[in-house]
Amino acid sequence: MLFQVSLGVTPAHDGQIREYDAARSIDLDDESAELRLRYRDKRVYAVGHGMAANWDLRDGACTRVFLDPVPAYVVPAVETIGLAPESEAAKALRLDLLERIDTHPAEVLTTLDVFVESFSDWVTEQEARVGEHGKDTPVARSITKRARIAVRRMEAGVDLLRETEHDTLRKAFALGMAAMRLQLRQAVIKSGKDPAGVEEPRWRPFQLGFLLVSLASTVDEGHDDRELVDLIWFPTGGGKTEAYLGLAAIEIFRRRLAYGFAGAGTAVITRYTLRLLTAQQFQRAASLICAMEILRRDDPRAKGMARFSIGLWVGNEVTPATRIDTKHALDRLHKASRPKEANEFQVESCPWCGASLLPQVKAHDRAQYGFRPVGRDVAIHCTRGDCRFRDELPVGVVDDVLYDEPPTILLATVDKFARLQFKPEAGSLLGLNTSFRQPSLIIQDELHLLSGPLGTTVAVFDAVIKMLLGKNGSTPKIIASTATIRASDEQVRGLYGRSVALYPPTGLDGDRTFFSRPVESGEGRLYVGLMPQSLSQVSAVIAATAPMVEIPEVLAKATDPGTTRDSYWTAVMYHNSLRELGRSGTLIVDDVNGRLETRSERLRLPMRRIRADRVLELTSRRGPEELPNDLRELGRSVDDGDEAVDVVLSSNMLSVGIDIPRLALMLMVGQPKTTAEYIQATSRVGRGRNNGIVTTLFRSNRARDRSHFETFRGYHEALYRSVEPTSVTPWSVASRGRSLAGALVALLRQSFSTLADNDNASRLDLSDHRMREAIDKLVATFLELVSRSEGVEAEETEEEVRRLLRDWDRRARLAREAGSTLLYDRRKSDDDALLKRFGQTGEGWLVADSMRSVEPKVAVQVREPMEGDDHGTHPA
């Protein structure tokens, strides 16, 4: 084999995350300089050719460079840096202490002061080292400056709690901490632990720091940082969800205490990009709402408050849209032989006690079902007689019910907001035409997924949502979270027209912050690289899969009591395309089993055979009713005697939101397209008590795969350095053509009651001076948001908006003159309508039902050649 090794230090990869700087905006060159500084000790000493390069280090110096045919590297786990258990700062993490801030303010505020001071001391240490970096001193100073800004924001949060005129805030803070304490305790009890042995819940330091950083701008509508998007960047599994749920609980209680009944309605909108992720997070947020309901019933501080509830607003393939749909869904559920597979209500277990809401098989006793008809509606309730929610759970999943009774927390997929153009009643979720204050907090999970076509479309509708949420003069606070992102300020500006503040602020050394650091023992997730040079992809997949399937049998002989067969029993095979996944699916049962037989004889291992019914596909091809069952199957443990899944054939659906702690083994068939996807996907394994093993099968005929293999160690030593920037272009020509018409209709239908109903499109009249003046005002505000996001497109966007308005006015005038009706959405194919959906014909603006519908579908029919045909192929 011919190969070469390139010696020397290669330039550091671009990557990681852009930081917020109050004094200046950072371009990519500045960010690259920061990355070079922070990862200065992660040098690449060699690049292989045909094989991976590796090296030995001693005292920070490279002593040997060599080639490695099967490279391996352990990426250390990230651990939360704890505070000394008996220290005053550590006391601030105790939820049972924090919930007493309204009755013992001096005690609690003193511990919060010490906590912030400990963070400030760390920042001071970082600032003292700025001068050590020579020509990079300005870069180091910009890093520490942002950390100092975070200190000041934390201090402002504590000061706000200290001020005597904020008794309401202290009480809201206390109730929020009490709700989180109840929920976290119950999560442990629900797992089977004796309540008497449950330890008092504590915040992780970064979670408490986030509450203090974002508190002032969340509860004060006029705060200078209100327009700032606070972005939580923390590795997967680190506790981001609990951090923003804690902030949401404080804000919900504050609204009820400050405004009474007007503070009810929808207070928090939490948005996700994937319906599967939304359904999973729904269970965790519902548990918090249950805790708040218990406080409302039992705690004198919350007595008399309006009922708390949570709503799931996702696609109608997943949940019922109307009350009629609800009745049919309930009938189908009662008739189904396997109710869990026919459940359209998404809630399968009580979010408070964990009891199943459905029997395993069809039951005649309706009490075994956690769903019962109540008038025209269906009440969801716990089936356990001793549960606090045996009468009714505070959850809603039916669209029409959510419109009539806006939930306290709304969990939705981002593309569901496209319904605003078709459903004027959906405006109640934004506080429109209700007696409630408008939502004051928006939480966007997995921000990095809002990129490309989806992020571009979401950004257009977000401009409308922001205008509608600001109808009463206030503006919502936006919180976002992610584990992998770069150039976050550009993405956030494109999405929301706002600046971003990254939390927690980074230090001067790699991935270390005050709140977290890589595990010093080196324990973490093992990455292994394989790149066969003269083997077909099919043979390579078979050869790589067989040894991985044997790992549980090898572990069965291990004496380490901490290692279980179950963690490595289910092999996850991750694919970058459905075509590759389909190829693997045909190999698993026959070819891999054949390889296992010969290896079993040669290595004297017990024979393990992959069963066809234990191979699970997890892709977008799975229907909404199948996915919950798939997750249940993945949770089955072989240690408990269950028939666990042998192999999971997965697409990128797995890369976000799947949290199955027992999974610890993955084969990646080819390098994913982005480093962010690589990090997210591989983080799905090794989340439990055993570390994950990830084997990447590179293809030697693909330049990108080969490059990653040849730089295997340098790439994995600083994974987050290589995260690519993402982009959104919401006001480009292509984006305007797909989204602007629908966004304009949503804005006007939700803003003018006279235009709201489906048959009111003909009421638009630009010759009416008052109407034109009001519309011009809306358009001016809309264009201001466009300018803040992408100023160069503002002029052409205005021309497009004016053209659409003129066309709407023309069609409305013709309809009025003809004495006919111009609809928004046609009921019959020959109706005169302003809009037309993909697949419809005739005049109208082409709009999408969902933000994911960016192009019309094309139907293709393939016909086999028939006897007597002159040609072997036929046009579709």
Side-chain angles (χ1 to χ4, degrees):
M1 179 186 294
L2 296 176
F3 58 83
Q4 71 181 46
V5 177
S6 303
L7 298 176
V9 180
T10 64
H13 294 288
D14 287 343
Q16 192 72 333
I17 299 169
R18 180 161 314 171
E19 304 279 358
Y20 167 66
D21 189 327
R24 66 180 177 86
S25 121
I26 304 174
D27 59 29
L28 285 174
D29 289 338
D30 294 326
E31 190 174 3
S32 297
E34 289 189 3
L35 292 166
R36 286 196 299 271
L37 172 65
R38 288 172 45 211
Y39 291 99
R40 59 193 178 279
D41 60 335
K42 303 296 184 185
R43 298 181 177 181
V44 179
Y45 291 94
V47 175
H49 184 70
M51 296 177 72
N54 208 336
W55 51 85
D56 290 335
L57 298 176
R58 182 179 299 170
D59 298 327
C62 180
T63 59
R64 184 170 73 105
V65 171
F66 57 96
L67 290 170
D68 193 346
V70 184
Y73 188 83
V74 176
V75 175
V78 175
E79 63 179 354
T80 298
I81 298 177
L83 302 169
E86 301 304 321
S87 67
E88 193 69 20
K91 291 181 182 178
L93 304 176
R94 290 171 38 197
L95 284 159
D96 60 333
L97 173 69
L98 295 174
E99 71 169 85
R100 300 202 304 267
I101 192 172
D102 57 332
T103 56
H104 298 77
E107 178 188 6
V108 177
L109 290 168
T110 298
T111 61
L112 290 176
D113 285 334
V114 175
F115 174 81
V116 176
E117 186 178 344
S118 63
F119 175 52
S120 180
D121 290 344
W122 176 83
V123 175
T124 300
E125 292 174 5
Q126 299 288 303
E127 290 169 335
R129 295 173 49 203
V130 165
E132 300 173 1
H133 298 285
K135 65 179 182 180
D136 288 328
T137 294
V139 178
R141 185 175 293 114
S142 69
I143 293 174
T144 58
K145 186 172 184 179
R146 288 189 294 277
R148 180 56 64 185
I149 291 172
V151 172
R152 290 199 291 269
R153 294 185 68 196
M154 280 189 195
E155 293 171 342
V158 177
D159 289 342
L160 200 63
L161 290 168
R162 178 175 287 110
E163 295 172 9
T164 55
E165 60 267 28
H166 287 100
D167 288 341
T168 295
L169 176 58
R170 280 200 292 270
K171 187 179 290 186
F173 190 91
L175 285 168
M177 297 304 98
M180 289 302 299
R181 177 172 173 253
L182 264 179
Q183 185 228 359
L184 293 172
R185 278 181 56 84
Q186 185 64 24
V188 179
I189 295 170
K190 194 162 53 174
S191 67
K193 191 163 184 178
D194 182 2
V198 176
E199 296 181 3
E200 277 296 337
R202 301 167 66 91
W203 285 122
R204 298 178 187 182
F206 102 89
Q207 294 171 330
L208 177 59
F210 170 73
L211 291 181
L212 297 178
V213 158
S214 55
L215 182 65
S217 58
T218 299
V219 302
D220 182 0
E221 295 179 358
H223 197 276
D224 291 343
D225 291 339
R226 183 74 169 191
E227 285 282 320
L228 198 63
V229 176
D230 280 307
L231 172 60
I232 312 175
W233 177 85
F234 211 78
T236 55
K240 297 186 292 293
T241 302
E242 286 76 15
Y244 63 64
L245 284 180
L247 184 68
I250 296 169
E251 173 61 6
I252 290 168
F253 279 119
R254 183 197 68 84
R255 287 167 54 104
R256 304 292 178 96
L257 291 167
Y259 307 113
F261 179 77
T266 300
V268 178
I269 296 175
T270 306
R271 308 191 313 171
Y272 300 89
T273 51
L274 302 172
R275 67 187 182 207
L276 181 60
L277 178 61
T278 309
Q280 284 196 315
Q281 296 291 1
F282 181 73
Q283 196 80 359
R284 299 167 76 175
S287 179
L288 173 62
I289 286 293
C290 288
M292 298 172 77
E293 265 294 284
I294 289 175
L295 289 177
R296 186 181 70 87
R297 301 173 189 177
D298 299 347
D299 195 313
R301 297 171 295 185
K303 286 282 189 181
M305 288 185 178
R307 179 176 177 266
F308 298 103
S309 62
I310 184 169
L312 183 65
W313 198 42
V314 292
N316 294 132
E317 292 180 354
V318 182
T319 58
T322 67
R323 287 180 167 86
I324 294 176
D325 294 340
T326 304
K327 182 180 182 301
H328 294 326
L330 188 61
D331 290 341
R332 286 191 292 269
L333 183 64
H334 288 153
K335 294 175 182 177
S337 58
R338 298 177 64 87
K340 288 189 176 182
E341 296 179 8
N343 180 23
E344 297 178 38
F345 299 99
Q346 295 305 305
V347 187
E348 294 191 346
S349 61
C350 173
W352 186 246
C353 72
S356 176
L357 303 187
L358 294 167
Q360 291 292 331
V361 296
K362 181 180 178 180
H364 296 292
D365 183 5
R366 297 293 171 88
Q368 295 185 40
Y369 293 82
F371 309 89
R372 67 168 183 269
V374 178
R376 298 170 57 216
D377 297 327
V378 170
I380 303 176
H381 63 94
C382 185
T383 54
R384 274 181 55 176
D386 60 346
C387 179
R388 295 290 298 266
F389 299 96
R390 60 185 178 275
D391 294 326
E392 186 173 4
L393 281 159
V395 299
V397 298
V398 181
D399 289 4
D400 281 357
V401 176
L402 297 181
Y403 303 150
D404 292 344
E405 303 171 18
T408 310
I409 297 180
L410 178 71
L411 267 78
T413 47
V414 289
D415 49 321
K416 186 70 175 183
F417 286 87
R419 303 304 299 163
L420 291 170
Q421 61 189 317
F422 299 114
K423 289 281 187 180
E425 55 268 35
S428 64
L429 299 174
L430 305 182
L432 302 175
N433 303 313
T434 70
S435 55
F436 308 121
R437 293 180 67 86
Q438 295 189 268
S440 50
L441 180 61
I442 296 177
I443 299 170
Q444 177 62 59
D445 200 38
E446 304 294 353
L447 182 72
H448 66 279
L449 293 179
L450 287 184
S451 61
L454 176 61
T456 294
T457 306
V458 167
V460 176
F461 279 89
D462 266 5
V464 172
I465 293 169
K466 183 176 180 182
M467 289 182 63
L468 295 175
L469 288 175
K471 190 174 182 180
N472 294 330
S474 64
T475 182
K477 175 68 180 178
I478 298 179
I479 302 293
S481 73
T482 184
T484 50
I485 200 168
R486 190 193 166 200
S488 56
D489 58 342
E490 289 184 2
Q491 186 177 357
V492 167
R493 190 163 296 283
L495 285 169
Y496 308 116
R498 298 188 181 191
S499 298
V500 65
L502 189 73
Y503 175 89
T506 58
L508 299 174
D509 302 302
D511 295 324
R512 288 174 174 263
T513 72
F514 172 73
F515 302 103
S516 64
R517 67 185 173 202
V519 175
E520 294 180 353
S521 66
E523 185 175 322
R525 191 174 287 108
L526 172 64
Y527 288 80
V528 180
L530 301 174
M531 190 176 74
Q533 298 285 357
S534 56
L535 201 64
S536 70
Q537 180 71 1
V538 170
S539 299
V541 169
I542 296 170
T545 304
M548 297 182 72
V549 173
E550 292 169 343
I551 289 178
E553 301 302 338
V554 175
L555 288 176
K557 301 178 180 180
T559 57
D560 182 2
T563 303
T564 68
R565 295 166 70 230
D566 183 61
S567 293
Y568 303 99
W569 183 269
T570 302
V572 180
M573 297 182 66
Y574 189 91
H575 300 79
N576 297 305
S577 71
L578 293 177
R579 180 171 59 88
E580 292 177 343
L581 184 145
R583 185 186 301 132
S584 295
T586 62
L587 302 175
I588 291 299
V589 177
D590 295 328
D591 297 79
V592 173
N593 278 334
R595 181 66 61 93
L596 287 172
E597 289 179 5
T598 59
R599 288 178 59 85
S600 174
E601 296 173 2
R602 179 162 51 88
L603 300 176
R604 297 180 181 179
L605 289 172
M607 176 61 192
R608 180 188 172 190
R609 181 174 293 278
I610 298 174
R611 292 170 44 185
D613 62 340
R614 295 287 87 196
V615 176
L616 178 69
E617 179 180 312
L618 195 61
T619 69
S620 58
R621 295 189 295 211
R622 303 293 283 173
E625 71 286 349
E626 295 174 299
L627 289 173
N629 187 58
D630 292 342
L631 294 180
R632 282 195 303 272
E633 289 296 310
L634 283 176
R636 294 179 180 270
S637 169
V638 72
D639 289 342
D640 297 334
D642 293 336
E643 291 190 342
V645 172
D646 289 331
V647 175
V648 179
L649 300 173
S650 170
S651 66
N652 61 2
M653 174 179 281
L654 183 83
S655 63
V656 178
I658 304 295
D659 188 3
I660 310 293
R662 59 177 292 271
L663 299 179
L665 187 64
M666 175 177 283
L667 174 67
M668 303 210 76
V669 183
Q671 180 72 18
K673 297 178 178 63
T674 66
T675 298
E677 183 183 343
Y678 185 64
I679 294 172
Q680 291 280 357
T682 57
S683 296
R684 300 303 121 190
V685 296
R687 298 167 72 91
R689 59 179 175 173
N690 289 320
N691 292 317
I693 300 174
V694 178
T695 300
T696 302
L697 183 60
F698 298 99
R699 292 153 291 196
S700 60
N701 61 340
R702 296 195 178 183
R704 190 169 184 276
D705 280 31
R706 177 180 285 269
S707 173
H708 277 282
F709 180 75
E710 294 170 345
T711 60
F712 192 87
R713 174 169 176 176
Y715 177 67
H716 287 85
E717 270 192 330
L719 267 178
Y720 289 92
R721 178 175 64 187
S722 301
V723 171
E724 303 86 354
T726 55
S727 66
V728 290
T729 54
W731 309 111
S732 61
V733 174
S735 174
R736 295 198 302 266
R738 287 194 300 261
S739 311
L740 191 58
L744 180 63
V745 170
L747 177 61
L748 267 60
R749 288 189 76 175
Q750 299 292 343
S751 299
F752 297 96
S753 58
T754 54
L755 298 177
D757 291 344
N758 188 43
D759 56 358
N760 285 354
S762 56
R763 291 194 176 187
L764 180 81
D765 186 0
L766 296 183
S767 63
D768 183 324
H769 177 72
R770 292 182 61 186
M771 176 175 284
R772 185 182 186 102
E773 191 176 71
I775 291 176
D776 285 344
K777 187 175 180 180
L778 283 177
V779 170
T781 304
F782 182 77
L783 294 172
E784 181 184 346
L785 294 177
V786 175
S787 297
R788 291 174 59 179
S789 174
E790 200 170 356
V792 295
E793 299 288 353
E795 185 176 342
E796 292 188 9
T797 302
E798 180 176 12
E799 293 177 0
E800 182 70 10
V801 169
R802 298 297 182 189
R803 184 192 66 78
L804 289 169
L805 286 172
R806 288 194 299 270
D807 185 54
W808 185 350
D809 182 58
R810 175 187 63 82
R811 295 193 60 194
R813 186 177 64 254
L814 291 174
R816 291 194 301 271
E817 291 172 354
S820 60
T821 300
L822 177 66
L823 305 176
Y824 290 106
D825 190 19
R826 62 191 66 182
R827 301 186 183 96
K828 303 188 300 292
S829 59
D830 58 346
D831 282 340
D832 185 19
L834 181 68
L835 308 176
K836 66 177 179 181
R837 310 192 191 201
F838 287 138
Q840 293 181 339
T841 58
E843 188 178 5
W845 301 345
L846 187 64
V847 294
D849 291 302
S850 161
M851 296 186 196
R852 298 178 190 273
S853 304
V854 293
E855 297 292 347
K857 294 180 180 179
V858 177
V860 176
Q861 180 183 9
V862 178
R863 184 163 65 92
E864 295 292 334
M866 301 176 64
E867 186 177 352
D869 284 343
D870 294 331
H871 303 287
T873 58
H874 299 267

